[in-house]
Amino acid sequence: MSEVHYGRGYVYAIQYHLVWCVKYRRSILCGKVEDDLKHILLQIAYDNEFSITEMESDKDHIHLLIECRPQHYIPNIVKALKGVSARFLFKKHPDLKTQLWGGHLWNPSYFVATVIENTEEQIKLYIQRQKKK
């Protein structure tokens, strides 16, 4: 169950399921690239004061379950996650640019869904099973 948080004058439990794909659906999220991506995303979440409670990728896309405050605006969260991670991954793995002409790591679109208590465990299991296909 999502943890209930207390703000100044409000109580909340907000979770989102986020998914986005690598540009051209290239299978590049494996090995060191995947490890670096996960580390970078956790750091971005920490820096922006939200949390990633579940995360898994499957070569060409990534799933996240995030918790945030009511003040967070989901397009800004996605922009930070995709933009900063792309910049750091290209810097750390310059060979990725040969597979992704045009200099873009991520497809510009993304999927987002709010998570309610009844579906949280189902979404966590779905995310965890991304590599077990």
Side-chain angles (χ1 to χ4, degrees), residues 5 7 11 15 21 25 39 45 61 82-84 107 109 117 127:
H5 302 278
V11 180
Q15 291 185 304
C21 301
R25 297 298 298 246
H39 176 74
H61 66 282
K82 291 171 74 174
V84 175
N107 184 301
S109 62
E117 288 180 30
I127 291 172

Side-chain angles (χ1 to χ4, degrees), residues 30-75:
C30 31
K32 186 74 171 124
V33 173
E34 178 186 24
D35 294 341
D36 289 342
L37 171 63
K38 290 177 179 180
H39 176 74
I40 291 165
L41 293 175
L42 289 170
Q43 186 62 50
I44 295 165
Y46 177 80
D47 292 346
N48 289 277
E49 299 178 341
F50 64 90
S51 62
I52 297 173
T53 57
E54 203 68 52
M55 172 171 38
E56 193 55 82
S57 64
D58 188 20
K59 295 185 176 102
D60 66 355
H61 66 282
I62 187 154
H63 289 261
L64 304 175
L65 181 61
I66 66 165
E67 279 192 42
C68 61
R69 297 188 323 252
Q71 293 85 350
H72 282 105
Y73 179 54
I74 198 68

Side-chain angles (χ1 to χ4, degrees), residues 14-18 65 111-117 119-120 123:
I14 300 173
Q15 291 185 304
Y16 294 100
H17 178 197
L18 292 174
L65 181 61
F111 166 83
V112 61
T114 54
V115 178
I116 58 174
E117 288 180 30
T119 60
E120 179 184 357
I123 291 171

Side-chain angles (χ1 to χ4, degrees), residues 4 12 17 19 22 30-31 41 61 69 83 85 87 94 98 100 103 111 113 119 121 126 128 130-131:
V4 174
Y12 65 94
H17 178 197
V19 185
V22 174
C30 31
L41 293 175
H61 66 282
R69 297 188 323 252
S85 65
R87 191 169 62 250
T98 62
L100 299 161
F111 166 83
T119 60
E121 285 305 312
Y126 175 75
Q128 291 166 3
Q130 283 303 295
K131 288 196 178 202

